[in-house]
Amino acid sequence: MAQCVQSVQEFIQDSFVPMVAVLCSEDAEKLTRKNNLNFSELLRPFCRLTSEGHMRDPNNQVQVVKNLRISVNNVVTRPSVPASGVPGHAHRRLLSEVVLTCQPAEGGVANVITAGDYDLNISATTPWFEAYRESFLQSMPASDHEFLNHYLACLLVVSSSEAVPVEKFLKLSQEQHRIQHSGEYTNPKWFIPNTLKYYVLLHDMSQGDEQRADSVYEDMKQRYGAQGCYLLKVNSRTAAAGADEQIPDPWSQYLHKNSLQSQDEDPAPVVVNNTAVENNVGGTSEVDGHDSEEKDGVLVNSLDNTHPLQLDTPSDTPGSLDALRAVAVETKPPPIATGVAAATSHGACLTLNDHDRIRLFIQEFTFRGLLPHIEKNIRQLNDQLVSRKGLSRSLFSATKKWFGGGKVPEKSIAELKNTSGLLYPPEAPELQIRKMADLCFLVQLYDLAYSCYHTAKKDFLSDQAMLYAAGALEMAAVSAFLQVGAPRPYPAHYMDTAIQTYRDVSKNMILAERCALLSAEVLKSQAKYSDAATLLIKMTSEDSDLRSALLLEQAAHCFINMRNPMVRKFAFHMILAGHRFSKAGQKRHALRCYCQAMQVYKGKGWSLAEDHINFTIGRQSFTLRQPENAVTAFRHILTNDSQQTSTQQGAFLREYLYVYKNVTGACEVALPQLPLPCINSSATRVYFGHERRLAEGEKQAATHVSLDQEFDRDLAAMWQDLEEQVVAAAKRGVVPATFQPTQCCLNSQTDNLRFPLAVVEEPIIVEVVFRNPLKVPLVLSDLSLLWKFTLKDFNRPQPQEDSVGDAVAISNEKEASVPRTPQKDDVIATEVIPEFYLSPEETKLARLKLLPHQTGQLNILGLVYNLASTSSTGDTTINSTAASQSEGPSAAEGTSVRGRQDLEIQGPRLNQTKEEKTSVSHGPDRRLDPTITPPMPLLEVFFLQFPTALLCGEIRKAYVEFCNVSRVTLCGLRVASTHPDFFTFGSSSLATPLTPLSPTSFENCSAYKTLATPPGATPGSVAAVTLVSEGDFGSGIGLRGGGVSGTGGKGITEIPLGEGTLKPGESTQLPLWLRGPDQEGVHEIHFLFYYESAEQGGKISHRVLRHTVFICASRSLSVRATACRSNTLPEEEEERNGSMLVFVDVENINSSEAGVREFHIAQVSSSSKQWRLHKCINPAEDKDCKLTSRERGKLCFRATRCKPLQVPLKAVEKYTFADLSLGNELIITSTTPCADFFFRRCQPLESLRPPVAMETQGRHSRSQGVGHGGGAKDIAGVVRKCNEVDLDIIILWKAFVVEDNKQVILEGQLHVALQTIDKEACSLTQKEEAQEMVLLKFKPELPPPMTRPSMEQLSHLIKTNLQYPESYSHPFNQKSLCMVPVTLTLSNCSLAQVDVIIDLRHKTTSPESLEVHGSFTWLGQTQFKLQLGAQEVMRVQLQACFLHAGVYNLGTPRVFAKLADQGAMCETSQQTATPALIIIINST
């Protein structure tokens, strides 16, 4: 049980006090009425004695009476409570109002209890229970089986203003005697026949004659004795004289508690209060649930016959919504005054001295009148009982024993017959014992009282007088508990037996309740909370909801106050108490109980119990005019993941909407916040710009950015990198410090720290994620965005902007609060969605549009909509047509409320500084706060004849259409791509023949520029040579080997426009050549179109348009090429500067899936600054090299060095293109698109080299300055260049494809870069090398060590060649020695001076040389030391001597070489040529 103000001893003592009756004359009553009090009310605050009293017990021992209180009441001859024990209507109403008016204080003491995981905030005290208990005990009816509530004395009060006061006293005395002894009245009941009469003369000090009063009092003392009368002087102050003096009012706290007794004097029906109770519903009194049923047609409590935890359903009769409506209509606010005396003061004519006189009067009456009277009666009763203990008592006991009437066991009371109707005569000795026991108990003689109760109990049980026995058991237990020193333990079983008897046998619930209240307090004081709770729970029944509610609440407190608190039992019984409070009309107490229990169930997974509690809290709060609390409670039901059925959730939703509508109806100033549907604010996406236009016919629109695309962080980084490159190219190679990447679609993963920029007259689309957590559908109507806008003119200079009043915020909140009200469309046009349907448990996106018409700062605040439920919960589909009618589920069917939900997005957590790391702080998220800027150009791009599948290296021509759909001129159009080698817009400096627009026209028309082969020319004859500068193919395209990862404009293409601009509404169409990727598979290719406004100085410097295509590349040809040195002497003029052999292997690796019948190698071309293909050495027999599936062809070409005269000093950047046609047509590879794709091709080998080796972007300037000795210091570079080849092979092919039963000719080109002598290069190795590059980029980039050249590299410094006759005839018979002249040609392959040593003394013993018959000898000088300049050719004349005929190998000279300036380096043996065989013939 909760803590009480009084101790249990004080509580029991105050529950049983001596009763004193009052009879007043009319004049005396008028005299006291000056203070708005009757005489009994006047005495009530002073009825507790502050001093000790003394009296003697029957053993003549002096006993001290402490803290005695007496009860003074007017004589009422009508019972307030029927003797049957069932409370009357007035009694119930009194108790209900007592509980109702005692509510917990706002700032009351809270008891925080920690039990396990629970921290419960519980009321420390329950003053409403104590007030109920006090009123209940004070209003207990007088019973015949006990005398505790019988009057011991009667105060006869007469005013001193009476003409003959003594006669008036006589009349009052006779009246008292008549009431007690005439037999006409059953009430009040008197303790003993000889009732003490105490005569009080009341004197009004303000009006009466004090001397006369004193003389009358002297006469009274002579007549009644000094101890039987008293002169009480009151009203010493007049109301006018003491208006300024503040006198305390001790009566107010007693009047309401005892209003029943004070009003029972009136013969009219008892009326406790003349105003409606605060929680009154529909005019019915707030009493127990059974009283509610008596009011037919007003309110039927639908919860009476339901389980306490059963939730209301729509099938309830009446429905829950109807009940709420009845509450809302019929509930009226309570008046301020709750009683007749609420606004009146008491004791206005009394001074503090009068208070002391009254207190002294009570003390004199008690000590000199009442206590001696009680002491005398105790002695008389004791003497009577002692005298009766003689023969008659013994015979009586013996007779009962003879006939078997012994002591009845207390546990078999339930088996006894109902003898509650047994009545003893007043003179019965058993009643005399009980009367003496009650007298002793009233004056605190608990030992004697217990002895008498125990004796009476035995007698009553012997007579089977169960009601009497129960009373004796009850008081015996209480007396035992109150005995000083506790000589015996508290007999709790006495109380249990008494309660059982009262309730089951006597059917007297009032007495049973009193017994339970007393026993529970005693058990609580002994910390037996479990027993107390069990006792209280047993006392709950259906006859009184108020009593059951209070006792259940106290039982809950018992559970929580145990040594090991039982938290869940506490919560469960608080729920039961709240339910009974609700049935009893105690709405506030019911709400309090549910709220306290909610602390236990909240967040513990008890979803159904939590829903029930929240639902009840919502209902009670709404009834009590606490709409905010009601809305909060209902919100918890609807937003949590509920486990309720759809029917129940529908009922919850309808009640919630009704409550919400009543709440919003009261205050229409601001829109309320709605909890449904749930909005995932962080998932909100904002899109700036028009939605993408779909394809029109053959036109395919650029994909750009749309809300249908998922955000990819890697892709976003790629787009940002592309944009940085194109901005740098547009800004002369420098990215501005104020550069911010364009973000067309903002979400939770983008950078939202800055205000996004939007363009006026371009829509802003906000995508909001709605989630319906319920199992019933929701209908949102008139859904739109809420915004606030501040006008700003960005074209005006900044100083004037502050002086002009632009900073006036405009909002649409007022217009949006009323549906279908014209919005402020002149500032920002707001789209309204008429109806938005959410199926049960559905997550759905809504896209809402704003169209700004003016520049300024926009803040998107949230959403506004009408929320409604549908009646047909099973139908989960809806269309706009049915929604507008009454057939489908629409908002018009049920209750609809208009509200808002704010879009509050939490920014990213800050984690930069130390303070931010140690605290939790978040940055801003500005995605909903765009800045509306002045107009900007808007580009739309369309692609025509754009393929989706290509062969590797296939060339295809398409068209691109650029449209300016804005009102601003567009300029500076550029494009960047992740695959710059995939496309080209062609060269602007070279004329390109137009291709027909028909989609099928490419069958017979080549994308290349072709010439007919001159008549009579042999395929593979001398190549046609063209000189081309890379700058002719776009200055910003980028160099070979450059990818999009570089800077300085690599991969950036300027798109040629007519006048460099695109005016508003104009469009232009440009050709676009595409080349299939070299690797097979699906390729994702990204384009970024960049453009600027012709009007400079805007807040947005540029705009971009994105496009992504997917190209499926199929395998075509695999090309492998090898360069080998030619050891033969140059025969033609072109070969004098050096030549080499190029072997090209071509394999058809195409699979038959693509439908390619065969490939034709149409032409082989080369491009280099140093080398060119000269002619085909071994051409195929037929004109074209045809390859069917898996066939391989081999071609051999002779390559020569470019003539120095053909490459002037000022044109070192020129490339030599050599075309060798193998068919009837000659393709000019130095024009678009062949040269474009050649210059755009990727070269991963270059990017893999260390930075030192990448001299000025790869191989383009390797020939610069080296010949002047500048490169001689770099040993490795010089040696490597001896073996390097700067030659690119271009293979042009045609493929014959069958599509739709007709043949289509496809064409394409493949590139092979020859890097090193004798090292094979392939057209398909880029993928693997690129993978290696990806792996290498994670390793730390260390500078390459300065390594010495390898022996293999040094062995290629000198190229040797022996010139001799193949056969030589000599007559050995005539001359035995045959001498043959041999010329040794030495060629310096390096660009530096080389020291050469020739050694002819080599004698081989290798098996290869032994195969040749015989040996020969070199004549003359056998060792030469020479020095060769850069690329110098030197010839040395030798003589070989043969002794006889045969075949000899002349390749025996050994050549050693080293760089001239490297003294410490040893000579390295040079690679020899193939065996030089000579045949010596004997001519004889």
Side-chain angles (χ1 to χ4, degrees), residues 120-142:
L120 306 179
N121 194 345
I122 301 170
S123 302
T125 59
T126 51
W128 50 90
F129 171 70
E130 296 180 48
Y132 167 86
R133 190 177 59 185
E134 182 179 350
S135 297
F136 171 78
L137 293 174
Q138 289 182 4
S139 60
M140 283 284 296

Side-chain angles (χ1 to χ4, degrees), residues 686-708:
V686 184
Y687 178 79
F688 301 101
H690 294 277
E691 294 187 74
R692 186 173 71 90
R693 192 190 304 181
L694 299 176
E696 300 177 357
E698 295 182 356
K699 293 183 179 180
Q700 176 187 352
T703 56
H704 194 43
V705 181
S706 72
L707 288 169
D708 298 326

Side-chain angles (χ1 to χ4, degrees), residues 499-708:
I499 293 173
Q500 187 178 359
T501 304
Y502 284 143
R503 186 181 59 198
D504 300 337
V505 180
S506 302
K507 307 296 182 184
N508 193 318
M509 290 304 296
I510 293 180
L511 294 173
E513 182 178 353
R514 182 188 70 180
C515 193
L517 293 175
L518 296 174
S519 182
E521 282 295 332
V522 173
L523 292 172
K524 183 191 76 170
S525 67
Q526 297 177 345
K528 297 178 179 179
Y529 291 105
S530 178
D531 296 338
T534 304
L535 176 63
L536 293 170
I537 294 171
K538 284 182 179 180
M539 280 305 299
T540 58
S541 61
E542 291 299 323
D543 63 326
S544 174
D545 289 315
L546 181 62
R547 179 187 72 237
S548 299
L550 290 166
L551 297 186
L552 284 169
E553 182 183 12
Q554 294 304 309
H557 281 280
C558 288
F559 288 123
I560 203 66
N561 286 322
M562 296 174 68
R563 178 176 297 178
N564 296 319
M566 305 177 75
V567 182
R568 290 192 293 273
K569 276 201 171 186
F570 160 78
F572 180 71
H573 286 85
M574 286 300 282
I575 293 294
L576 296 178
H579 176 70
R580 300 304 290 271
F581 270 129
S582 178
K583 290 179 68 176
Q586 301 285 341
K587 307 298 181 186
R588 291 186 184 276
H589 288 295
L591 178 61
R592 176 185 49 76
C593 289
Y594 276 101
C595 290
Q596 288 192 359
M598 189 62 183
Q599 300 177 80
V600 176
Y601 289 105
K602 188 174 183 179
K604 301 296 182 182
W606 299 68
S607 59
L608 296 179
E610 202 169 338
D611 288 347
H612 167 78
I613 298 171
N614 277 315
F615 179 73
T616 309
I617 290 176
R619 269 197 165 185
Q620 302 290 7
S621 300
F622 178 74
T623 307
L624 296 173
R625 282 182 165 71
Q626 298 176 6
E628 292 79 9
N629 295 339
V631 167
T632 303
F634 276 115
R635 178 175 302 191
H636 285 299
I637 304 177
L638 299 175
T639 55
N640 293 337
D641 295 330
S642 176
Q643 313 236 341
Q644 301 286 351
T645 61
S646 58
T647 306
Q648 189 64 59
Q649 287 187 355
F652 285 162
L653 179 60
R654 286 193 296 274
E655 294 217 23
Y656 168 74
L657 293 177
Y658 182 77
V659 170
Y660 225 117
K661 195 165 188 178
N662 282 272
V663 173
T664 56
C667 53
E668 298 181 356
V669 180
L671 286 169
Q673 293 285 341
L674 294 176
L676 288 175
C678 300
I679 294 180
N680 187 0
S681 295
S682 63
T684 301
R685 297 196 295 169
V686 184
Y687 178 79
F688 301 101
H690 294 277
E691 294 187 74
R692 186 173 71 90
R693 192 190 304 181
L694 299 176
E696 300 177 357
E698 295 182 356
K699 293 183 179 180
Q700 176 187 352
T703 56
H704 194 43
V705 181
S706 72
L707 288 169
D708 298 326

Side-chain angles (χ1 to χ4, degrees), residues 1365 1368-1372 1375-1382 1416-1420 1438-1444 1478 1480:
Y1368 191 83
S1369 297
H1370 177 76
F1372 284 96
K1375 194 175 183 178
S1376 61
L1377 295 178
C1378 175
M1379 292 178 288
V1380 180
V1382 178
F1416 70 97
T1417 306
W1418 292 102
L1419 299 179
L1438 305 175
Q1439 267 194 334
C1441 179
F1442 302 91
L1443 298 178
H1444 48 80
I1478 185 171
I1480 303 297

Side-chain angles (χ1 to χ4, degrees), residues 1205-1329:
L1205 295 177
Q1206 291 179 341
V1207 186
L1209 187 62
K1210 294 183 180 180
V1212 292
E1213 292 296 328
K1214 294 263 184 188
Y1215 285 80
T1216 300
F1217 280 82
D1219 300 329
L1220 280 173
S1221 174
L1222 302 181
N1224 297 327
E1225 293 180 335
L1226 180 65
I1227 299 173
I1228 309 300
T1229 57
S1230 58
T1231 59
T1232 297
C1234 185
D1236 295 86
F1237 288 117
F1238 167 73
F1239 287 119
R1240 282 174 174 266
R1241 81 191 191 284
C1242 293
Q1243 187 55 264
L1245 284 175
E1246 294 296 325
S1247 60
L1248 280 175
R1249 288 182 177 172
V1252 177
M1254 296 180 64
E1255 306 127 326
T1256 63
Q1257 301 296 333
R1259 311 186 307 275
H1260 295 173
S1261 58
R1262 290 183 193 138
S1263 61
Q1264 299 181 19
V1266 182
H1268 302 286
K1273 296 178 181 179
D1274 185 1
I1275 306 171
V1278 171
V1279 173
R1280 187 172 60 248
K1281 286 178 177 54
C1282 298
N1283 305 321
E1284 283 190 351
V1285 181
D1286 184 17
L1287 182 62
D1288 291 281
I1289 306 298
I1290 305 173
I1291 309 296
L1292 292 100
W1293 52 262
K1294 292 185 179 181
F1296 295 87
V1297 182
V1298 177
E1299 289 183 358
D1300 300 330
N1301 296 324
K1302 59 183 177 180
Q1303 180 171 291
V1304 178
I1305 300 176
L1306 306 179
E1307 54 191 357
Q1309 66 187 59
L1310 295 174
H1311 308 128
V1312 181
L1314 288 173
Q1315 303 284 337
T1316 310
I1317 292 288
D1318 294 333
K1319 185 175 181 180
E1320 187 181 63
C1322 182
S1323 63
L1324 293 180
T1325 57
Q1326 291 137 343
K1327 183 175 182 181
E1328 290 77 15
E1329 290 169 355

Side-chain angles (χ1 to χ4, degrees), residues 1074-1243:
L1074 308 174
R1075 179 177 177 271
D1078 289 325
Q1079 298 294 332
E1080 67 169 330
V1082 178
H1083 297 263
E1084 186 175 0
I1085 301 173
H1086 306 282
F1087 297 88
L1088 184 75
F1089 296 94
Y1090 167 97
Y1091 57 98
E1092 301 174 355
S1093 173
E1095 302 173 3
Q1096 300 297 327
K1099 285 187 74 69
I1100 302 179
S1101 61
H1102 67 276
R1103 304 190 82 175
V1104 296
L1105 177 68
R1106 301 174 182 177
H1107 180 56
T1108 301
V1109 295
F1110 292 90
I1111 298 295
C1112 180
S1114 303
R1115 291 189 292 182
S1116 56
L1117 298 176
S1118 171
V1119 180
R1120 297 177 182 272
T1122 309
C1124 300
R1125 282 203 175 112
S1126 173
N1127 291 316
T1128 60
L1129 289 175
E1131 300 176 359
E1132 302 177 6
E1133 184 66 25
E1134 288 80 1
E1135 302 176 5
R1136 299 293 170 87
N1137 294 324
S1139 64
M1140 61 180 177
L1141 299 179
V1142 177
F1143 298 94
V1144 178
D1145 287 342
V1146 184
E1147 182 184 0
N1148 180 0
I1149 59 174
N1150 179 258
S1151 59
S1152 59
E1153 297 175 0
V1156 180
R1157 288 197 307 150
E1158 61 182 7
F1159 284 90
H1160 287 201
I1161 308 301
Q1163 181 173 311
V1164 178
S1165 302
S1166 69
S1167 173
S1168 175
K1169 293 182 181 180
Q1170 302 173 16
W1171 296 87
R1172 67 181 177 88
L1173 292 181
H1174 180 53
K1175 63 181 178 180
C1176 182
I1177 296 176
N1178 186 21
E1181 294 181 0
D1182 49 354
K1183 293 183 179 181
D1184 280 352
C1185 180
K1186 299 180 181 179
L1187 299 174
T1188 58
S1189 180
R1190 291 300 174 182
E1191 280 190 349
R1192 175 181 294 184
K1194 193 176 184 84
L1195 299 173
C1196 181
F1197 301 92
R1198 181 179 297 278
T1200 61
R1201 283 191 180 271
C1202 299
K1203 295 180 180 179
L1205 295 177
Q1206 291 179 341
V1207 186
L1209 187 62
K1210 294 183 180 180
V1212 292
E1213 292 296 328
K1214 294 263 184 188
Y1215 285 80
T1216 300
F1217 280 82
D1219 300 329
L1220 280 173
S1221 174
L1222 302 181
N1224 297 327
E1225 293 180 335
L1226 180 65
I1227 299 173
I1228 309 300
T1229 57
S1230 58
T1231 59
T1232 297
C1234 185
D1236 295 86
F1237 288 117
F1238 167 73
F1239 287 119
R1240 282 174 174 266
R1241 81 191 191 284
C1242 293
Q1243 187 55 264

